[in-house]
Amino acid sequence: MTATAARPSNSRGPRVRAPRGGRLRLPAVWRTPLAIVGAVIALAWVVVAFTAPLWVPYPPDAQMLPRLLPPGTDGAILGTDALGRDLFSRLMSGAGVTIPLSLMLVAASVVIGTVIGASAGYFGKWVDEVLMRITDLFMAFPTVILAMVVAASLGPSLFNAVIAAIVVSWPQYARVTRSLVLGLRGQNYVIAGRLLGHSPLRSLLADIAPNITGPVVVLAALDIGSAILLLSGLSFLGLGAQPPTAEWGSMISSALQNFDAWWIGLFPGLAILTVVMAFNFIGDSLRDALDPSSRTERAASGVVAAPKTEDEALKGTGASA
Amino acid sequence: MSTETSHPRSVLDVDSLVVRYPGSPPVIAVDGVSLSIAAGETVALVGESGCGKSSLARAVVGIEKRASGTVTVDGRDVTPLGLRRRSPELTGVQMVFQDPATSLNPRRSIGAQIADGVELSTRRGEKTGTPGEWLARVGLDREWVGRYPHQLSGGQKQRVAIARALAAGPRLLVADEPISALDASTQTTVAALMRSLTTAVGAGLLFISHDLAVVRRIADRTLVMYAGRVVESGPTEALWQNPQHPYTRSLLAAIPAPDGAGRIPVAPTDAERATWLDAPVATTTQS
């Protein structure tokens, strides 16, 4: 808490100030062990995703080894699959398929969801009604079922699986953004901006957006894990990546045909587990840092709990909505 | 009920303003109030909480819809503040809010927020100064432009809010209890600062407060509001010396005397309150 102590003490009164800066306080976030573990694992996977083609021992699709080699034999660190492809090479190349696509689909969902949610919340009335009923329509279906319907109707391909995942994941951003904007648009500083002649776009971008980025970033970080799961899930079901593309979900799917070769399914499964957990750790830590209502543990460990200000309280409801 | 004569140089003219909140029965917060403020003049509006002061202020700037009556600033009708961009003519109406904690954007530097005001006046072709100069004018360090609201105290935040409003080069500044969230030592300085700066730019100031001691020091004229109506108006000093309306008298009597005796003013009875509504509207003229 040196950051708080270092601030000039021009504050009057006994009120303890929240240690929140104008910028994201990343240093405080990274101080928790969970965040460090998550960040290290996630970073490692991202590096693998972008560099794998340069250093994997075999081309991911090359059937140049004996079939069904157990891990550790003949230079195949993780063994080979039923077609004699090196599992390690496929696993590492698979990161390059799943992770960038998941990040892209989360980014696309955030953009679509926040634009729709912010418009609904800011303009209200019939705009709100129409947009939120459309959102409800998408939310009414179970995520995976709807994604399956979309992917199946577009035809099985990785690209269509991403579209299907975007279709099912934007509504939650719309809902959260709408509720945040709804609370913020009546704030005095937003009204002050409107009195200064800000256009709706400027009001949203300059006055409101900086106050909702925190909760939306947290939501997005937590959502990366589910996006990876959803994408691999669709591939597992045969609606995403098509053979011979090395993709974790489809690799697990192919393991079902060789049940006694445990390594074929185990390692892609572990890969999904570690990367999803890593992104969830990051999301959790970000939420702890930005949302005072979940800061109880840190308060117990000697950090003074900050009094809730109105916008922080809002963030709490937003992040848990 | 028109107790004010429309001044030729008046920046604000309010005529028979009614603000009504829906409900059963509907609450009539402001009941036919007329007033006018001349350029460079400071008019105080006092009254107990719930008497309609804030509703009047919000209706004057257009945040609250008015049920009937007219509000004009520089002869232009003040339309309700919608979601659309406010027309440039009406940006001459600015407001300072009661709660300094919510009147500034917590995620933007105070310099950027004052710059919003500066930008507006620049667009009109006026030069009001840089954000740093405005910080200096309201008694803060001009190096603080990069600071965020949470780094400031309540009084300092309110100074920033005043700077933002005045940097816009307003014709009329409406201050809705701008000092009630501040401690006693800061109240007077902030109020005096507000008055001197608005007078300097030739804007009218509608200052809403329940702090009569501060009002006496800064206001040219004072309006006393009770139950949605202006019950007494006149030059501040005259009204202070010779209050006509029973409600004004009781307001003045309710100021605790700093004589060390520790007397707490007696609260008015319901019977007394009932008579205030029927008492004639008083207009003090001589000062």
Side-chain angles (χ1 to χ4, degrees), chain A residues 10 23 202 207 211 315, chain B residues 105 107 116 147-148 151:
Chain A
N10 49 30
R23 310 257 150 251
R202 170 132 189 229
D207 298 333
N211 293 287
K315 256 174 238 162
Chain B
N105 192 334
R107 298 272 173 199
D116 284 350
R147 292 204 176 190
Y148 286 85
Q151 291 170 290

Side-chain angles (χ1 to χ4, degrees), chain A residues 8 10 12 17 20-21 23 122 188-189 191-192 194-198 200 202 206-207 210-211 311 315, chain B residues 63 82-83 85-86 94 97 102-108 116 119-120 147-148 150-152 164 168 183:
Chain A
N10 49 30
R12 207 181 303 263
R17 294 210 170 259
R20 69 204 173 88
R23 310 257 150 251
Y122 191 81
N188 286 340
Y189 56 81
I191 294 174
R194 297 225 304 269
L195 286 175
L196 288 168
H198 287 184
R202 170 132 189 229
D207 298 333
N211 293 287
D311 64 319
K315 256 174 238 162
Chain B
I63 300 172
L83 288 172
R85 184 194 198 113
R86 191 158 233 210
Q94 293 298 326
F97 297 90
T102 62
S103 59
L104 295 180
N105 192 334
R107 298 272 173 199
R108 293 179 69 207
D116 284 350
E119 189 195 311
L120 178 64
R147 292 204 176 190
Y148 286 85
H150 72 269
Q151 291 170 290
L152 307 181
R164 175 179 61 189
D183 59 78

Side-chain angles (χ1 to χ4, degrees), chain B residues 178-267:
Chain B
I179 54 168
S180 64
L182 309 180
D183 59 78
S185 60
T186 326
Q187 283 185 341
T188 325
T189 42
V190 169
L193 174 83
M194 202 175 229
R195 188 214 145 96
S196 63
L197 286 175
T198 29
T199 316
V201 298
L205 172 61
L206 178 59
F207 188 90
I208 292 168
S209 181
H210 51 243
D211 191 324
L212 293 165
V214 171
V215 162
R216 187 186 187 184
R217 292 186 56 160
I218 67 156
D220 300 317
R221 275 188 304 133
T222 300
L223 308 181
V224 181
M225 212 169 156
Y226 181 71
R229 282 184 245 165
V230 172
V231 293
E232 179 157 7
S233 64
T236 305
E237 206 46 48
L239 187 136
W240 190 279
Q241 298 298 341
N242 187 20
Q244 301 292 318
H245 195 275
Y247 175 63
T248 315
R249 280 189 218 131
S250 99
L251 258 189
L252 294 176
I255 301 173
D259 55 3
R263 278 189 302 268
I264 293 173
V266 186

Side-chain angles (χ1 to χ4, degrees), chain A residues 25-115:
Chain A
R25 284 162 296 105
L26 289 180
V29 176
W30 301 130
R31 230 171 277 159
T32 65
L34 220 58
I36 296 168
V37 171
V40 168
I41 297 177
L43 199 69
W45 272 120
V46 170
V47 170
V48 166
F50 287 101
T51 61
L54 306 174
W55 49 262
V56 288
Y58 302 96
D61 300 338
Q63 307 172 17
M64 52 209 298
L65 289 171
R67 300 169 62 243
L68 297 175
L69 275 182
T73 44
D74 286 352
I77 311 168
L78 301 178
T80 61
D81 65 5
L83 295 170
R85 296 176 295 196
D86 179 38
L87 212 57
F88 177 72
S89 302
R90 285 181 69 73
L91 200 63
M92 295 300 129
S93 313
V97 175
T98 309
I99 294 173
L101 283 180
S102 306
L103 294 176
M104 269 162 51
L105 92 81
V106 169
S109 313
V110 168
V111 170
I112 297 171
T114 46
V115 167

Side-chain angles (χ1 to χ4, degrees), chain A residues 46 49-50 95-114 158-170 173 220-221 223-228 230-231 279:
Chain A
V46 170
F50 287 101
V97 175
T98 309
I99 294 173
L101 283 180
S102 306
L103 294 176
M104 269 162 51
L105 92 81
V106 169
S109 313
V110 168
V111 170
I112 297 171
T114 46
L158 202 52
F159 180 70
N160 289 346
V162 172
I163 291 179
I166 293 174
V167 166
V168 297
S169 47
W170 69 264
Y173 297 101
D223 200 36
I224 294 172
S226 1
I228 293 171
L230 184 60
L231 213 52
F279 280 112

Side-chain angles (χ1 to χ4, degrees), chain A residues 2-310:
Chain A
T2 44
T4 337
R7 291 240 167 82
S9 54
N10 49 30
S11 58
R12 207 181 303 263
R15 194 182 146 206
V16 181
R17 294 210 170 259
R20 69 204 173 88
R23 310 257 150 251
L24 290 177
R25 284 162 296 105
L26 289 180
V29 176
W30 301 130
R31 230 171 277 159
T32 65
L34 220 58
I36 296 168
V37 171
V40 168
I41 297 177
L43 199 69
W45 272 120
V46 170
V47 170
V48 166
F50 287 101
T51 61
L54 306 174
W55 49 262
V56 288
Y58 302 96
D61 300 338
Q63 307 172 17
M64 52 209 298
L65 289 171
R67 300 169 62 243
L68 297 175
L69 275 182
T73 44
D74 286 352
I77 311 168
L78 301 178
T80 61
D81 65 5
L83 295 170
R85 296 176 295 196
D86 179 38
L87 212 57
F88 177 72
S89 302
R90 285 181 69 73
L91 200 63
M92 295 300 129
S93 313
V97 175
T98 309
I99 294 173
L101 283 180
S102 306
L103 294 176
M104 269 162 51
L105 92 81
V106 169
S109 313
V110 168
V111 170
I112 297 171
T114 46
V115 167
I116 290 179
S119 315
Y122 191 81
F123 295 106
K125 296 186 185 141
W126 65 268
V127 180
D128 186 26
E129 269 321 299
V130 169
L131 290 177
M132 289 330 280
R133 291 304 77 77
I134 294 172
T135 310
D136 286 345
L137 199 70
F138 281 96
M139 285 190 113
F141 296 98
T143 314
V144 180
I145 308 281
L146 181 59
M148 279 170 67
V149 169
V150 175
S153 57
L154 291 174
S157 84
L158 202 52
F159 180 70
N160 289 346
V162 172
I163 291 179
I166 293 174
V167 166
V168 297
S169 47
W170 69 264
Q172 56 168 332
Y173 297 101
R175 285 220 83 98
V176 169
T177 309
R178 173 186 174 267
S179 76
L180 289 167
V181 171
L182 217 50
L184 288 173
R185 70 167 184 184
Q187 290 282 322
N188 286 340
Y189 56 81
V190 178
I191 294 174
R194 297 225 304 269
L195 286 175
L196 288 168
H198 287 184
S199 64
L201 187 67
R202 170 132 189 229
S203 185
L204 275 168
L205 290 181
D207 298 333
I208 292 178
N211 293 287
I212 64 172
T213 41
V216 171
V217 163
V218 169
L219 196 64
L222 283 170
D223 200 36
I224 294 172
S226 1
I228 293 171
L229 270 183
L230 184 60
L231 213 52
S232 335
L234 287 174
S235 296
F236 175 82
L237 294 168
L239 295 167
Q242 296 303 304
T245 314
E247 204 280 338
W248 295 341
S250 58
M251 283 163 76
I252 297 176
S253 170
S254 69
L256 290 180
Q257 280 125 45
N258 301 81
F259 226 79
D260 48 342
W262 51 268
W263 56 91
I264 303 179
L266 178 72
F267 295 116
L270 280 179
I272 294 174
L273 179 81
T274 49
V275 74
V276 169
M277 266 175 52
F279 280 112
N280 279 348
F281 285 168
I282 295 175
D284 274 343
S285 315
L286 272 175
R287 186 180 53 194
D288 285 352
L290 293 170
D291 173 12
S293 62
S294 68
R295 214 183 268 165
T296 35
E297 283 157 272
R298 295 209 301 157
S301 64
V303 181
V304 183
K308 260 193 184 184
T309 62
E310 235 165 278

